[in-house]
Amino acid sequence: MERYYQPEIETAGREQIKAWQDERLVKQVKHIWDNVPYYRKKMEEKGVTPDDIKSSDDLYKLPFVTKDDLREAYPYGLLAKPLSECVRIQSTSGTTGKRVVAFYTQHDIDLWEECCARAIMAAGGTNEDVCQVSYGYGLFTGGPGLNGGSHKVGCLTIPASSGNTERQIMFIMDLQATILCCTPSYAAYIGETMKEMGLTPDQIPLKAGIFGAEAWSEEMRQDIQNTLGIKAYDIYGLTELSGPGVSFECSAQTGMHINEDHFIAEIIDPDTGEVLPEGSVGELVFTSITKEAFPLLRYRTRDICKLTREPCPCGRTHVKMCKPMGRSDDMLIIRGVNVFPSQIETVLLNNGYPANYQIIVDRVKNTDTLDVQVEMTPEMFTDDIGEIERRQKVLVDGLRSMLGLTAKVTLVAPKSIVRSEGKAVRVIDKRKI
């Protein structure tokens, strides 16, 4: 039986959801206009005032916000509440330049934790469960978000944070943890380690996992589910909007329900910024309509995906987003071909390799090179050169048919690619472009 944390919201009719969005957007735009000079200037440059926004149908009139705006306005330029009303910051592990710092009032934290509680209950969680949160704590939103959501559901919460895998496994086994929350690559590593310890899925007490913060494929999901004997659920979020829990998967596992009472989602053409019709693939844009301290209007996520309103068997009525298919910014363009790491991962997993790989892109004599280093499992490890070459050729052929270009594949020994306890570093781009 499907469980909901806030059934009256999660199963609300479309008219009700639209009414919430209309009312909250109008209020939010006024709040931002009155309190955020940086954003008011952007609106004035576009010739828009709060009077032009009468409902969510007028959302397209507002200017976009990007990560560049967040860097430019750092640290306090997008703050919409006095610091005396803010109780916390969280920050992303941004790869370039200044970090993104997001602010929260207590009300913001309560709403964020409710979104995470919805995700935990959608994964079957109740107050009878033991929820082990193995996302990083501290400035990273993963740990605090799921920790708060777990408390709201009433689970016994193990704030394990990431790392120290032996201790993670000890707690899972000794405290009989039933829900694991971490990055998918770390879940795969925990599963791999438990398997080496001789633990079979039926000996592992876990029943569900809530995994996010990095891209992972359907094949990787099956892999984790089989190793740990669980059902693995996807969760999506951005520090800029609150953290994990912007959207989450239900028992159908066919996309993530966006919490539309807090966020309005749009799909735009990443080149023109034009809003695309429903069902189109494009860049995901979010507007936070309930956030007080750090509200963002039309924030460009750079994630490429599509939305669907097809009725969901779980009974939730909020729009679903598919798993992001890649990024409009960190998508690799190799010899003119668009390449997403998830495509490479699919080929590897379909051929029985674990999701431990590294993609090295370089430019030699003005030609892009693509080198995929793939770890063998202990079972398939061999020092027979002919056999290794045969297997490498199978992967080269598989990648050629998936990507339309030739990659070099190097099979490496088990455990020789550095493991990640946070976000896995999948791509090393050495090109000086």
Side-chain angles (χ1 to χ4, degrees):
M1 192 192 81
E2 195 71 35
R3 295 193 181 94
Y4 312 102
Y5 180 67
Q6 292 164 310
E8 67 295 345
I9 297 174
E10 295 176 62
T11 62
R14 287 300 327 155
E15 299 74 22
Q16 176 61 71
I17 293 172
K18 172 89 164 69
W20 284 327
Q21 290 188 337
D22 291 348
E23 181 196 337
R24 291 169 185 180
L25 177 67
V26 169
K27 195 173 148 197
Q28 186 72 291
V29 170
K30 179 137 185 36
H31 169 56
I32 290 173
W33 175 271
D34 291 344
N35 295 292
V36 186
Y38 183 95
Y39 204 88
R40 184 164 64 242
K41 184 167 172 283
K42 278 184 84 83
M43 284 176 68
E44 284 169 347
E45 282 167 5
K46 213 175 170 202
V48 189
T49 71
D51 295 339
D52 296 314
I53 310 300
K54 297 181 171 56
S55 77
S56 57
D57 298 334
D58 298 319
L59 187 61
Y60 73 94
K61 298 174 182 174
L62 292 165
F64 292 113
V65 180
T66 66
K67 217 162 207 160
D68 290 342
D69 289 306
L70 271 60
R71 289 196 189 106
E72 199 180 312
Y74 173 91
Y76 295 128
L78 288 168
L79 193 59
K81 282 279 186 184
L83 274 179
S84 57
E85 289 182 43
C86 298
V87 298
R88 192 191 302 169
I89 68 152
Q90 302 282 173
S91 176
T92 64
S93 54
T95 47
T96 51
K98 290 176 182 154
R99 297 180 73 94
V100 169
V101 174
F103 298 83
Y104 301 73
T105 62
Q106 187 55 51
H107 182 64
D108 291 335
I109 288 175
D110 289 339
L111 296 185
W112 173 27
E113 291 178 349
E114 282 176 6
C115 288
C116 289
R118 291 179 193 177
I120 290 169
M121 288 196 72
T126 70
N127 59 1
E128 302 284 320
D129 281 292
V130 177
C131 182
Q132 183 153 323
V133 183
S134 304
Y135 284 109
Y137 279 68
L139 289 168
F140 178 60
T141 53
L146 271 304
N147 189 86
S150 176
H151 279 221
K152 282 214 179 330
V153 173
C155 305
L156 174 65
T157 310
I158 308 173
S161 197
S162 59
N164 199 334
T165 305
E166 277 177 32
R167 189 183 64 189
Q168 301 273 2
I169 293 170
M170 180 190 82
F171 279 135
I172 289 170
M173 300 308 292
D174 294 355
L175 297 173
Q176 294 289 288
T178 50
I179 299 172
L180 175 65
C181 305
C182 62
T183 60
S185 55
Y186 195 41
Y189 184 50
I190 289 173
E192 196 180 292
T193 309
M194 289 175 111
K195 193 173 174 183
E196 281 168 10
M197 291 165 69
L199 290 166
T200 57
D202 56 348
Q203 293 172 305
I204 298 170
L206 294 169
K207 66 174 189 186
I210 299 173
F211 307 132
E214 64 187 13
W216 54 310
S217 60
E218 214 37 59
E219 291 81 6
M220 188 172 181
R221 184 210 302 265
Q222 298 305 330
D223 215 30
I224 294 170
Q225 291 190 150
N226 296 340
T227 311
L228 291 172
I230 61 172
K231 196 160 176 176
Y233 296 82
D234 210 345
I235 189 167
Y236 175 89
L238 303 152
T239 301
E240 298 90 316
L241 297 171
S242 62
V246 171
S247 67
F248 59 87
E249 239 176 3
C250 61
S251 54
Q253 291 179 304
T254 54
M256 293 169 276
H257 290 282
I258 293 169
N259 286 307
E260 287 191 277
D261 52 324
H262 300 298
F263 307 101
I264 302 177
E266 303 170 273
I267 296 288
I268 64 162
D269 179 318
D271 298 324
T272 65
E274 188 189 346
V275 180
L276 297 173
E278 200 149 294
S280 307
V281 173
E283 183 184 334
L284 184 60
V285 171
F286 276 116
T287 295
S288 47
I289 49 175
T290 53
K291 194 120 190 254
E292 295 180 332
F294 196 71
L296 295 183
L297 301 177
R298 304 197 82 199
Y299 181 68
R300 293 186 61 162
T301 66
R302 304 292 178 192
D303 281 321
I304 300 293
C305 78
K306 67 176 177 180
L307 305 178
T308 173
R309 290 198 186 277
E310 278 177 22
C312 186
C314 79
R316 288 179 183 80
T317 47
H318 294 227
V319 69
K320 281 203 289 201
M321 58 179 274
C322 73
K323 195 184 270 296
M325 302 166 183
R327 307 265 306 163
S328 66
D329 54 0
D330 74 3
M331 172 180 77
L332 294 163
I333 301 181
I334 299 168
R335 304 200 283 275
V337 177
N338 293 351
V339 173
F340 293 112
S342 57
Q343 294 172 301
I344 293 175
E345 181 171 305
T346 298
V347 173
L348 302 182
L349 288 159
N350 280 344
N351 282 284
Y353 292 84
N356 295 312
Y357 61 92
Q358 226 158 29
I359 300 164
I360 299 157
V361 185
D362 207 345
R363 186 160 284 173
V364 181
K365 295 180 182 165
N366 295 324
T367 302
D368 292 343
T369 61
L370 176 61
D371 186 0
V372 185
Q373 302 202 338
V374 186
E375 240 180 46
M376 292 184 271
T377 61
E379 296 86 332
M380 61 171 65
F381 183 64
T382 173
D383 50 13
D384 177 340
I385 303 296
E387 177 58 16
I388 288 177
E389 284 176 355
R390 188 192 67 75
R391 290 183 196 166
Q392 287 176 169
K393 184 178 182 309
V394 170
L395 290 179
V396 168
D397 293 345
L399 289 170
R400 188 184 296 113
S401 64
M402 170 68 87
L403 307 172
L405 50 79
T406 304
K408 179 185 171 203
V409 174
T410 310
L411 289 176
V412 298
K415 299 251 166 132
S416 59
I417 291 175
V418 176
R419 288 299 186 279
S420 160
E421 289 168 352
K423 290 196 184 189
V425 179
R426 299 290 192 209
V427 181
I428 298 168
D429 195 338
K430 297 179 172 177
R431 295 175 296 183
K432 305 281 183 283
I433 297 177

